[in-house]
Amino acid sequence: MTATITTGAAARSPHAADGSRVFLRQTWAMSKRSILAIARQPALVAPSLIFPLFFAALGASSFSKATNLPGFPKVDSFLSFALAGSIVQGVLFGSVTGGAALAIDIEDGFFDRLLASPTSRVGILLGRLAGAAAFGAFQALFFTLVLIPFGVRIASGPVGLAVIVASGGITGIAIGGFTAALALKTGSSEAVQGSFPLLFVAMFFSSAFFPRQTMQGVYRRIADLNPISYLVEGIRGLIVDGFDTVYVAQAIVVPIAIGVASIALALRMLSSRLAAR
Amino acid sequence: MTTIVNSAGPSRPVSGGSFDHTSAPGGTVLRSSAGLAIRGLRSIRRLPSAFIPALMMPIVQAIAFSGTFFAITKIPGFPTDRSINWYLPLACCMGAGFSGIGIGFSTIRDLETGFFDRLRMAPTPTASLILGPLFGAWIRMMIVVTSVLAVGFAIGARLTGGVLGIVNLYIAGFGVATVASGWALGLAYRLKDMRAAALMQLTFFNAIFLTNAQAPLFVMSGWLHTIARVNPFTNILRLARTGFLGTVTWDDTWGGLVAIAGMGAAAMYFAWRGLRELGN
C-alpha cells in the first residue's frame, strides 16, 4: 500500500488557493512551535553553542603555529580559519537536537495527535525544519559576533555576513532533514542522538578543522569527496578572502543540494510512517 | 548467611555465591565488589547501546584526529612523524575516562530505579558499592584500550618504547578510569538523576582537552598553554605517550604516576563522601 502525503486542509478544500493559505498558516504555526521550543529550553541547545566555541578556542591556542605550514591558507589568525568550521559544527549538532525533538513528539504521542487533526502532514515536517533553519542562522550570527572581539574580521563585509547567516540557516534545514528522517524512521530520540558520532565523523573527514591541502592519503580523498568540505570552504573564503561569487555559490548551493536530498528522504520516511499506521 | 540482589533477579546471588559475614571482612568486600563488577559487565550485553558509543568514540577519535591534524607533525621539533602516535594515547585515555563515566551512568540508572536503595539496605560492605563499579570500569577500560590500540596499530601506529610503553599506557588508562569513576560516582550520589550525566561528560571532556591533548606544550600559545602546564591530566597523557614518542624515561613517567595517585585518591574520596551523604 502506498501512502500519499497530502496537505490535510488542501485535500478537504475545493479551492486550491484556500488550501495553500491554510497550508501556509499551519506550517507557520508548526514553525513557531519549534522555534519557541528552542527558545524555551536553552539547556538543550546550549551545548551546540558552547562546544564549537570551545573547540575554536582550543584550536586557536593549539594550532596557531600550524598556520605557517606549507599548504595552509593565508589567514590573520587560526581563529579566523576556525570560524567556518565552528559554524558548520554548531549547526550540525543543533540539528541533532531538532531531530530528537521530533522523535520525542513521536514517543510521547503528540505526533499522532497532529496526524489525527486536519493538519498538513508536510507542514509538520516543514515546521520542524523551519525551527532548524532559524536556529542555524542564529548560530552563524552568534559565533561570528562572539569571535569578532577576539580578532576575527569578515573580509567580505556585511553582505558576506548575510550570506554566512543564510548559509547557516540552509545548512540547518539540510542536516535537519536527515535527523528528521531518522526520527521518522525510528521514532526514537535515543537513535537520533546516536547519530551524533556519524556527524562528528563527517565533520572530521572534511576541511572543517584543517585545510584539505595539508591532508594526505585516504583522509584527503575522503575530504575531497565530502560536501561539507566545500560548504566550509565557501564560508571560510567569505571570512578570510573577501566577497567572491564562487564562495557564495559554495556556501549556498552545497547546503541546498544536501537539503533537497535530505528533505526527499524525510518525506519518504514520513510517507512510510503514514503507510504503517 | 545473606544474599545480595542483582538485576538478574531479586534473590539471585551475585556470581553464583552468597555473602557469608563470618568470613574475613577484606574477603567479603572483594567478593561483593567482584559481584557488583560482574553485574556491571553483564549490563554491556544487556544494554549494548550504552557501551558501544564509549567503545566507538575513541576509535573514531584516533582515526579522525590523526588524519585531520596530520600536518602538525611537520612543525619543527614535533616529537613524532606519525600523527597516530600522538593521538592514539589520547584516544585510549578518552576511552578509559568514558569507561569510568559509563559506570556513573549505570549508577544513576540504579538510583532512579531504586535498585541502589536495595543494595544499600543489603548487608553489603559499603566500600564494595564504590569498589565494585570501579572494578567494572577497569575491565571496561581494558576492553576499550585494547580495542583502540589494535585499531591504532592497524592504521600505522608504531611502538617506540617497547613493552614498558604499553605498560605505561595501561597504567595511564587505569588511572584515568579511576579518576573518572570516582568523579562520576560522586556526582551520581549527589545529584541522583541524569543531570549528573551531562555534568560528568562535560567536566571530563574539558579536563582532558585543557591539556597537551591536541598539540605539544611548546606548540601551544596563550591561555591554553598556561592551563595545560598545570593540569595534572597533562602529566597522565605524557605517561600514556611514553611508548609512542621515543624511549620510556623516568622523567616522562613519574609526573603521571603522581597525578594518578593524587587525583585518584581525591576522586575516590569524593565518591566516598557522596555515598555517605546519600546515606544520611
Side-chain angles (χ1 to χ4, degrees):
Chain A
M1 184 180 133
T2 309
T4 310
I5 303 171
T6 56
T7 59
R12 285 162 180 77
S13 168
H15 305 293
D18 285 352
S20 299
R21 257 203 310 276
V22 173
F23 169 70
L24 286 175
R25 256 204 341 254
Q26 290 175 345
T27 305
W28 169 240
M30 297 305 299
S31 306
K32 218 163 65 177
R33 176 178 176 264
S34 63
I35 293 167
L36 285 175
I38 293 169
R40 283 174 184 157
Q41 299 181 71
L44 281 182
V45 293
S48 63
L49 292 174
I50 295 168
F51 269 102
L53 287 175
F54 179 65
F55 269 113
L58 281 180
S61 283
S62 297
F63 301 130
S64 55
K65 287 186 181 166
T67 54
N68 300 321
L69 289 170
F72 211 97
K74 293 277 171 241
V75 288
D76 294 338
S77 67
F78 189 87
L79 212 52
S80 298
F81 174 86
L83 174 57
S86 301
I87 291 171
V88 177
Q89 186 188 11
V91 174
L92 253 63
F93 295 166
S95 300
V96 174
T97 310
L102 177 59
I104 289 168
D105 278 353
I106 295 171
E107 284 171 345
D108 65 15
F110 183 73
F111 189 78
D112 283 337
R113 282 155 58 199
L114 280 177
L115 292 182
S117 68
T119 311
S120 154
R121 276 73 174 118
V122 177
I124 297 170
L125 181 63
L126 294 185
R128 270 286 160 215
L129 295 180
F135 188 54
F138 168 75
Q139 282 175 303
L141 186 64
F142 175 77
F143 293 137
T144 307
L145 294 181
V146 168
L147 293 188
I148 281 174
F150 295 96
V152 170
R153 197 177 61 85
I154 307 298
S156 54
V159 179
L161 178 59
V163 174
I164 291 167
V165 171
S167 178
I170 301 168
T171 306
I173 294 177
I175 308 302
F178 283 122
T179 55
L182 193 59
L184 290 164
K185 170 79 180 165
T186 63
S188 157
S189 57
E190 197 177 346
V192 177
Q193 294 285 3
S195 69
F196 173 83
L198 288 175
L199 294 175
F200 183 79
V201 171
M203 281 292 294
F204 264 98
F205 286 97
S206 75
S207 54
F209 299 110
F210 244 58
R212 275 188 291 153
Q213 293 79 356
T214 62
M215 294 179 191
Q216 282 192 338
V218 69
Y219 297 104
R220 173 67 192 266
R221 282 197 289 280
I222 295 173
D224 284 345
L225 293 171
N226 189 343
I228 292 175
S229 294
Y230 301 96
L231 165 63
V232 169
E233 286 163 16
I235 298 174
R236 184 172 291 145
L238 291 167
I239 296 166
V240 174
D241 293 339
F243 196 86
D244 189 313
T245 49
V246 174
Y247 295 144
V248 175
Q250 280 181 264
I252 300 293
V253 175
V254 171
I256 286 178
I258 299 172
V260 167
S262 70
I263 292 172
L265 183 67
L267 287 173
R268 195 183 158 87
M269 293 302 153
L270 179 61
S271 178
S272 302
R273 177 165 281 277
L274 293 175
R277 279 163 56 84
Chain B
M1 193 164 79
T2 55
T3 305
I4 75 160
V5 288
N6 72 359
S7 63
S11 59
R12 190 168 143 194
V14 173
S15 308
S18 54
F19 294 92
D20 182 357
H21 282 268
T22 57
S23 62
T28 306
V29 170
L30 280 179
R31 281 171 59 197
S32 306
S33 303
L36 287 169
I38 289 165
R39 176 179 173 268
L41 290 176
R42 282 190 187 134
S43 72
I44 293 176
R45 187 165 47 83
R46 287 179 186 151
L47 201 60
S49 61
F51 177 68
I52 288 172
L55 176 66
M56 292 308 295
M57 276 298 279
I59 291 175
V60 169
Q61 187 191 19
I63 297 170
F65 274 42
S66 59
T68 302
F69 302 130
F70 163 79
I72 66 161
T73 59
K74 301 267 193 296
I75 293 173
F78 201 88
T80 175
D81 59 352
R82 289 172 184 268
S83 54
I84 185 66
N85 272 27
W86 181 258
Y87 290 112
L88 182 63
L90 167 68
C92 288
C93 287
M94 284 292 280
F98 277 100
S99 299
I101 285 171
I103 292 299
F105 288 1
S106 308
T107 304
I108 293 171
R109 261 200 307 276
D110 287 345
L111 284 161
E112 286 183 334
T113 58
F115 180 73
F116 199 83
D117 288 333
R118 286 153 64 193
L119 271 182
R120 283 198 303 129
M121 281 189 292
T124 318
T126 313
S128 67
L129 296 181
I130 291 177
L131 289 178
L134 177 64
F135 293 165
W138 284 352
I139 298 168
R140 281 173 180 234
M141 181 281 297
M142 294 284 282
I143 297 169
V144 171
V145 170
T146 306
S147 306
V148 177
L149 265 182
V151 173
F153 286 130
I155 61 170
R158 292 287 177 274
L159 190 63
T160 58
V163 177
L164 205 54
I166 291 287
V167 171
N168 275 1
L169 179 65
Y170 275 96
I171 291 173
F174 274 108
V176 174
T178 306
V179 174
S181 298
W183 176 241
L185 288 172
L187 286 175
Y189 294 148
R190 284 170 174 84
L191 298 178
K192 304 184 206 65
D193 59 30
M194 277 297 166
R195 283 177 303 159
L199 205 53
M200 287 169 199
Q201 294 183 86
L202 200 67
T203 47
F204 175 73
F205 197 80
N206 286 349
I208 205 100
F209 269 102
L210 293 174
T211 61
N212 59 350
Q214 297 195 100
L217 282 174
F218 79 90
V219 173
M220 290 179 193
S221 58
W223 63 277
L224 181 60
H225 182 264
T226 309
I227 294 174
R229 273 185 58 216
V230 297
N231 185 343
F233 275 108
T234 298
N235 286 334
I236 299 179
L237 280 174
R238 190 180 293 129
L239 170 72
R241 284 174 172 144
T242 50
F244 295 87
L245 305 174
T247 53
V248 176
T249 64
W250 179 243
D251 279 352
D252 289 332
T253 303
W254 71 267
L257 297 177
V258 170
I260 287 171
M263 287 206 299
M268 283 296 123
Y269 181 70
F270 180 68
W272 178 256
R273 284 300 300 260
L275 186 59
R276 292 281 297 275
E277 286 173 24
L278 187 71
N280 293 336

PDB file of all heavy atoms in Angstrom, chain B residues 223-237:
ATOM      1  N   TRP B 223      46.332  31.231  26.619  1.00  0.00           N
ATOM      2  CA  TRP B 223      45.679  30.740  27.837  1.00  0.00           C
ATOM      3  C   TRP B 223      45.766  29.220  27.972  1.00  0.00           C
ATOM      4  O   TRP B 223      45.927  28.701  29.074  1.00  0.00           O
ATOM      5  CB  TRP B 223      44.211  31.169  27.835  1.00  0.00           C
ATOM      6  CG  TRP B 223      43.414  30.576  26.710  1.00  0.00           C
ATOM      7  CD1 TRP B 223      43.335  31.052  25.426  1.00  0.00           C
ATOM      8  CD2 TRP B 223      42.629  29.392  26.739  1.00  0.00           C
ATOM      9  NE1 TRP B 223      42.543  30.229  24.675  1.00  0.00           N
ATOM     10  CE2 TRP B 223      42.086  29.206  25.447  1.00  0.00           C
ATOM     11  CE3 TRP B 223      42.319  28.457  27.731  1.00  0.00           C
ATOM     12  CZ2 TRP B 223      41.267  28.130  25.117  1.00  0.00           C
ATOM     13  CZ3 TRP B 223      41.487  27.385  27.406  1.00  0.00           C
ATOM     14  CH2 TRP B 223      40.983  27.229  26.109  1.00  0.00           C
ATOM     15  N   LEU B 224      45.652  28.518  26.848  1.00  0.00           N
ATOM     16  CA  LEU B 224      45.646  27.059  26.925  1.00  0.00           C
ATOM     17  C   LEU B 224      46.993  26.538  27.416  1.00  0.00           C
ATOM     18  O   LEU B 224      47.062  25.588  28.203  1.00  0.00           O
ATOM     19  CB  LEU B 224      45.303  26.455  25.558  1.00  0.00           C
ATOM     20  CG  LEU B 224      45.230  24.935  25.512  1.00  0.00           C
ATOM     21  CD1 LEU B 224      44.168  24.399  26.475  1.00  0.00           C
ATOM     22  CD2 LEU B 224      44.940  24.440  24.103  1.00  0.00           C
ATOM     23  N   HIS B 225      48.058  27.192  26.952  1.00  0.00           N
ATOM     24  CA  HIS B 225      49.400  26.785  27.391  1.00  0.00           C
ATOM     25  C   HIS B 225      49.514  26.906  28.901  1.00  0.00           C
ATOM     26  O   HIS B 225      50.042  26.018  29.588  1.00  0.00           O
ATOM     27  CB  HIS B 225      50.453  27.644  26.676  1.00  0.00           C
ATOM     28  CG  HIS B 225      51.850  27.273  27.027  1.00  0.00           C
ATOM     29  ND1 HIS B 225      52.581  27.934  28.000  1.00  0.00           N
ATOM     30  CD2 HIS B 225      52.632  26.279  26.562  1.00  0.00           C
ATOM     31  CE1 HIS B 225      53.773  27.360  28.092  1.00  0.00           C
ATOM     32  NE2 HIS B 225      53.830  26.361  27.237  1.00  0.00           N
ATOM     33  N   THR B 226      48.998  28.011  29.439  1.00  0.00           N
ATOM     34  CA  THR B 226      49.074  28.251  30.892  1.00  0.00           C
ATOM     35  C   THR B 226      48.294  27.173  31.649  1.00  0.00           C
ATOM     36  O   THR B 226      48.793  26.621  32.636  1.00  0.00           O
ATOM     37  CB  THR B 226      48.464  29.643  31.213  1.00  0.00           C
ATOM     38  OG1 THR B 226      49.074  30.592  30.361  1.00  0.00           O
ATOM     39  CG2 THR B 226      48.684  30.026  32.662  1.00  0.00           C
ATOM     40  N   ILE B 227      47.092  26.880  31.170  1.00  0.00           N
ATOM     41  CA  ILE B 227      46.269  25.879  31.865  1.00  0.00           C
ATOM     42  C   ILE B 227      46.870  24.482  31.720  1.00  0.00           C
ATOM     43  O   ILE B 227      46.961  23.718  32.690  1.00  0.00           O
ATOM     44  CB  ILE B 227      44.822  25.900  31.317  1.00  0.00           C
ATOM     45  CG1 ILE B 227      44.142  27.222  31.668  1.00  0.00           C
ATOM     46  CG2 ILE B 227      43.996  24.744  31.883  1.00  0.00           C
ATOM     47  CD1 ILE B 227      42.765  27.402  31.053  1.00  0.00           C
ATOM     48  N   ALA B 228      47.281  24.149  30.495  1.00  0.00           N
ATOM     49  CA  ALA B 228      47.793  22.796  30.237  1.00  0.00           C
ATOM     50  C   ALA B 228      49.036  22.497  31.074  1.00  0.00           C
ATOM     51  O   ALA B 228      49.246  21.361  31.499  1.00  0.00           O
ATOM     52  CB  ALA B 228      48.117  22.639  28.749  1.00  0.00           C
ATOM     53  N   ARG B 229      49.832  23.529  31.336  1.00  0.00           N
ATOM     54  CA  ARG B 229      51.067  23.316  32.127  1.00  0.00           C
ATOM     55  C   ARG B 229      50.755  22.849  33.541  1.00  0.00           C
ATOM     56  O   ARG B 229      51.501  22.077  34.125  1.00  0.00           O
ATOM     57  CB  ARG B 229      51.880  24.620  32.183  1.00  0.00           C
ATOM     58  CG  ARG B 229      52.828  24.771  30.992  1.00  0.00           C
ATOM     59  CD  ARG B 229      53.696  25.992  31.152  1.00  0.00           C
ATOM     60  NE  ARG B 229      54.482  25.958  32.389  1.00  0.00           N
ATOM     61  CZ  ARG B 229      54.752  27.025  33.127  1.00  0.00           C
ATOM     62  NH1 ARG B 229      54.288  28.208  32.776  1.00  0.00           N
ATOM     63  NH2 ARG B 229      55.490  26.912  34.211  1.00  0.00           N
ATOM     64  N   VAL B 230      49.650  23.335  34.103  1.00  0.00           N
ATOM     65  CA  VAL B 230      49.339  22.986  35.497  1.00  0.00           C
ATOM     66  C   VAL B 230      48.265  21.900  35.616  1.00  0.00           C
ATOM     67  O   VAL B 230      47.981  21.418  36.712  1.00  0.00           O
ATOM     68  CB  VAL B 230      48.895  24.231  36.311  1.00  0.00           C
ATOM     69  CG1 VAL B 230      50.016  25.253  36.394  1.00  0.00           C
ATOM     70  CG2 VAL B 230      47.648  24.874  35.695  1.00  0.00           C
ATOM     71  N   ASN B 231      47.671  21.517  34.491  1.00  0.00           N
ATOM     72  CA  ASN B 231      46.623  20.489  34.530  1.00  0.00           C
ATOM     73  C   ASN B 231      47.274  19.117  34.730  1.00  0.00           C
ATOM     74  O   ASN B 231      48.083  18.677  33.903  1.00  0.00           O
ATOM     75  CB  ASN B 231      45.835  20.530  33.212  1.00  0.00           C
ATOM     76  CG  ASN B 231      44.639  19.584  33.197  1.00  0.00           C
ATOM     77  OD1 ASN B 231      44.556  18.680  34.020  1.00  0.00           O
ATOM     78  ND2 ASN B 231      43.734  19.809  32.271  1.00  0.00           N
ATOM     79  N   PRO B 232      46.914  18.419  35.811  1.00  0.00           N
ATOM     80  CA  PRO B 232      47.554  17.112  36.070  1.00  0.00           C
ATOM     81  C   PRO B 232      47.319  16.094  34.949  1.00  0.00           C
ATOM     82  O   PRO B 232      48.120  15.174  34.779  1.00  0.00           O
ATOM     83  CB  PRO B 232      46.894  16.625  37.363  1.00  0.00           C
ATOM     84  CG  PRO B 232      46.141  17.763  37.916  1.00  0.00           C
ATOM     85  CD  PRO B 232      45.943  18.775  36.847  1.00  0.00           C
ATOM     86  N   PHE B 233      46.238  16.262  34.191  1.00  0.00           N
ATOM     87  CA  PHE B 233      45.989  15.331  33.083  1.00  0.00           C
ATOM     88  C   PHE B 233      47.093  15.425  32.019  1.00  0.00           C
ATOM     89  O   PHE B 233      47.308  14.471  31.271  1.00  0.00           O
ATOM     90  CB  PHE B 233      44.620  15.597  32.444  1.00  0.00           C
ATOM     91  CG  PHE B 233      43.489  14.898  33.141  1.00  0.00           C
ATOM     92  CD1 PHE B 233      42.580  15.606  33.904  1.00  0.00           C
ATOM     93  CD2 PHE B 233      43.326  13.528  33.055  1.00  0.00           C
ATOM     94  CE1 PHE B 233      41.534  14.971  34.561  1.00  0.00           C
ATOM     95  CE2 PHE B 233      42.292  12.869  33.705  1.00  0.00           C
ATOM     96  CZ  PHE B 233      41.388  13.595  34.469  1.00  0.00           C
ATOM     97  N   THR B 234      47.763  16.561  31.946  1.00  0.00           N
ATOM     98  CA  THR B 234      48.894  16.681  31.008  1.00  0.00           C
ATOM     99  C   THR B 234      49.960  15.648  31.358  1.00  0.00           C
ATOM    100  O   THR B 234      50.542  15.009  30.474  1.00  0.00           O
ATOM    101  CB  THR B 234      49.482  18.115  31.060  1.00  0.00           C
ATOM    102  OG1 THR B 234      48.472  19.029  30.653  1.00  0.00           O
ATOM    103  CG2 THR B 234      50.681  18.262  30.139  1.00  0.00           C
ATOM    104  N   ASN B 235      50.225  15.496  32.661  1.00  0.00           N
ATOM    105  CA  ASN B 235      51.224  14.509  33.092  1.00  0.00           C
ATOM    106  C   ASN B 235      50.772  13.077  32.780  1.00  0.00           C
ATOM    107  O   ASN B 235      51.584  12.228  32.425  1.00  0.00           O
ATOM    108  CB  ASN B 235      51.481  14.638  34.600  1.00  0.00           C
ATOM    109  CG  ASN B 235      52.303  15.867  34.917  1.00  0.00           C
ATOM    110  OD1 ASN B 235      53.070  16.339  34.076  1.00  0.00           O
ATOM    111  ND2 ASN B 235      52.139  16.415  36.110  1.00  0.00           N
ATOM    112  N   ILE B 236      49.471  12.834  32.938  1.00  0.00           N
ATOM    113  CA  ILE B 236      48.967  11.485  32.644  1.00  0.00           C
ATOM    114  C   ILE B 236      49.089  11.198  31.147  1.00  0.00           C
ATOM    115  O   ILE B 236      49.482  10.099  30.744  1.00  0.00           O
ATOM    116  CB  ILE B 236      47.504  11.324  33.130  1.00  0.00           C
ATOM    117  CG1 ILE B 236      47.436  11.527  34.651  1.00  0.00           C
ATOM    118  CG2 ILE B 236      46.960   9.951  32.755  1.00  0.00           C
ATOM    119  CD1 ILE B 236      46.050  11.411  35.256  1.00  0.00           C
ATOM    120  N   LEU B 237      48.786  12.196  30.321  1.00  0.00           N
ATOM    121  CA  LEU B 237      48.938  11.997  28.873  1.00  0.00           C
ATOM    122  C   LEU B 237      50.408  11.782  28.508  1.00  0.00           C
ATOM    123  O   LEU B 237      50.727  10.980  27.634  1.00  0.00           O
ATOM    124  CB  LEU B 237      48.377  13.199  28.106  1.00  0.00           C
ATOM    125  CG  LEU B 237      46.859  13.227  27.935  1.00  0.00           C
ATOM    126  CD1 LEU B 237      46.413  14.528  27.282  1.00  0.00           C
ATOM    127  CD2 LEU B 237      46.402  12.049  27.077  1.00  0.00           C
TER     128      LEU B 237
END
